[in-house]
Amino acid sequence: MARRRLGFWRRFAVMTVKPLIGALTRRTWQGMEHIPAEGGVIIVINHISHADPLAVAHYIYDAGRWPSFLAKSSLFEVPVLGYLLKAVHQIPVRRGTTDAVKALEAARIGVKSGECVVIYPEGTTSREPDLWPMRGKTGAARLWLDTGAPVVPIVMWGPEQIYDPRTKKVDLFPRKMMQITAGPPLDLSAWAGAQPTAQTLTEITDHIMLHLRGMLVDLRGGTPPPLYGMPKRNSPSEEQTA
């Protein structure tokens, strides 16, 4: 990414956020090579803390891309913060309203124009007791069906040490280890050209969440619970060969 093309507010964000994250964290980062250097891309991430957007934004920026997050609209209503979020090209989402459709359209336009759009498929921080991935929403699946852009999975572990959503506890020091790993683009070819029916969207979303869960096992260890109590759903190609 050509740093000279960032503009004033993006430069301001970089100069503010990077030193802050550097002061609060130590980093173990892997897989940056899986984030395309250019062209539209959809990033899907597990969501474990209100602190993790800053960590993953730092990661994606250092990988050479500018991240555009689909973020809760309430953040855009906070004085000063809301203005800054708009100035650095983040995308507000009002859940459960027609504006959510507008947000997805803004994301589609962004991907089509070559941007790096970041989606938390869960829509909120995980409600699982141990912060394993939970049921995803279908926005990422819809966006992929609309654009065909590569879907790159990222998992992280560590931001919950700064802010734990289960206890509401903030703990800034000593510095916390941020583990972030990106994997190769997901193989969603089994659904290429499919219509966005409820079943198709659910199958793609389940595939994404199961993949994130598997990557998180590799990153943090441990044994996850069954994904929201459901068996793994076969893809269309698996059903044909069963």
Side-chain angles (χ1 to χ4, degrees), residues 22-219:
L24 296 178
T25 69
R26 295 176 294 120
R27 295 173 293 283
T28 299
W29 288 353
Q30 299 177 355
M32 284 184 174
E33 69 275 9
H34 297 305
I35 299 177
E38 57 185 17
V41 60
I42 303 164
I43 305 289
V44 290
I45 316 175
N46 67 310
H47 200 0
I48 55 177
S49 168
H50 297 319
D52 61 45
L54 293 179
V56 79
H58 188 185
Y59 175 92
I60 293 172
Y61 177 81
D62 277 16
R65 301 299 300 266
W66 184 264
S68 291
F69 286 81
L70 269 69
K72 291 188 293 187
S73 61
S74 58
L75 297 175
F76 292 77
E77 297 166 4
V78 178
V80 181
L81 175 62
Y83 177 84
L84 290 174
L85 289 173
K86 293 176 183 177
V88 298
H89 201 197
Q90 305 308 299
I91 304 170
V93 179
R94 289 179 174 82
R95 297 179 194 155
T97 70
T98 56
D99 286 344
V101 177
K102 295 179 183 177
L104 199 60
E105 175 62 14
R108 186 189 69 81
I109 293 172
V111 172
K112 288 282 192 180
S113 63
E115 295 181 7
C116 176
V117 173
V118 182
I119 296 180
Y120 289 103
E122 295 160 280
T124 188
T125 53
S126 176
R127 300 290 190 258
E128 289 286 348
D130 294 321
L131 301 179
W132 290 101
M134 58 182 188
R135 179 184 289 277
K137 300 183 183 299
T138 60
R142 290 180 183 276
L143 189 57
W144 175 74
L145 286 173
D146 284 345
T147 65
V151 178
V152 174
I154 292 180
V155 292
M156 67 179 72
W157 191 242
E160 79 290 343
Q161 298 177 62
I162 294 177
Y163 177 79
D164 192 322
R166 298 164 295 185
T167 63
K168 313 299 183 186
K169 180 182 177 181
V170 176
D171 185 6
L172 300 182
F173 298 103
R175 295 163 69 197
K176 307 299 187 292
M177 176 62 73
M178 298 293 110
Q179 300 180 73
I180 304 179
T181 298
L186 297 176
D187 181 6
L188 301 176
S189 58
W191 297 277
Q195 294 300 308
T197 63
Q199 179 178 346
T200 294
L201 293 170
T202 298
E203 288 176 353
I204 296 172
T205 303
D206 286 358
H207 182 81
I208 290 171
M209 298 313 301
L210 286 164
H211 192 89
L212 290 175
R213 187 183 69 165
M215 288 178 63
L216 193 57
V217 170
D218 293 337
L219 185 66

